[in-house]
Amino acid sequence: MFDALAQQIPYHTLIDTAAVRLDVKRLDLIHPQISGNKFYKLKYNLIEAQKRGCARILTFGGAFSNHIAATAYAAHRFNFQSIGIIRGEELADRPLNPTLSTAQALGMQLEFISRAQYRQKDQPEFIQALMQHYPNTYIVPEGGTNALAIQGSKEILSNFDREQYDLICCAVGTGGTLSGLIESSAESQQLLGFSALKGTFLSEQIRGLTQKTNWKITDDYCFGGYAKSSPRLLNFMASFEERYQIPLEPIYTAKMLYGLFDLIEQQAFAQGIRILALHTGGLQGRLSAK
């Protein structure tokens, strides 16, 4: 099913000195629409939906959600109807942005709800009401994070990655990808998550998903919170893309790489460390920088 879609994943070396080697694994190139970590997070969820004989996939997200975009394409590709519960009822009265218009063009039914309603999205009563309204539907949580997403995310690291690198880095949104990486990491490895959101709540969530302790999350490079940016971050993106010819987006991967380069400049890592940064895709999020 999913594996047949995957393209070979290249690595690019960004820094190679006696002090540090930094490589980036281009998960953004695994598939043009089901991009990066979303490929792994959706994989076993859609397989499960097929096993159950569900006709629809329903999920949640904001106006620029990578997860909404990827789910719309994946559902279309594998012959599911799709429904997106979108945060912000005010968006219903505005022209659709490129993320939502593309999802709609792929057949996703968009339902806009208030932010107060959206905060109830994980409540059993809210989920039950959705299932009654949309029977024969498989529900995927916001960001795709659940046990099956973690199962898929375990496949991101190869044996080569476990043997060659001391530190694995990725951007963090809901924590599912990092949790899978932690579970599949080698005992000798450390993992560093760069939160795209302000606050420490993600660490609490991940502690509930893994018993391993070889990881930490920083929000020092979230630039004020989810989908927030600054001229400094956008200037970094522009110079990075010009130098390395690797596209970034300002919500996740650019923040991680900004943080990594800053920490390397501060000599925050042990001499001779080998770092693997994961480019988790979501390049449609570049549109939100405008």
Side-chain angles (χ1 to χ4, degrees), residues 177-218:
T177 300
L178 182 60
S179 297
L181 294 170
I182 293 166
E183 287 295 286
S184 66
S185 64
E187 292 298 324
S188 60
Q189 288 180 317
Q190 295 292 312
L191 294 99
L192 177 57
F194 290 82
S195 178
L197 299 85
K198 191 174 181 64
T200 60
F201 63 95
L202 280 171
S203 294
E204 297 296 326
Q205 291 182 13
I206 291 175
R207 287 189 192 100
L209 298 171
T210 180
Q211 294 184 343
K212 297 175 75 171
T213 59
N214 60 333
W215 61 276
K216 67 177 181 179
I217 296 177
T218 178

Side-chain angles (χ1 to χ4, degrees), residues 75-104:
H76 173 77
R77 174 65 175 77
F78 294 108
N79 301 312
F80 293 100
Q81 298 172 39
S82 62
I83 301 154
I85 307 298
I86 308 301
R87 180 181 63 248
E89 61 185 346
E90 71 279 2
L91 299 174
D93 299 322
R94 301 176 186 173
L96 295 180
N97 66 32
T99 299
L100 297 180
S101 62
T102 299
Q104 188 178 72

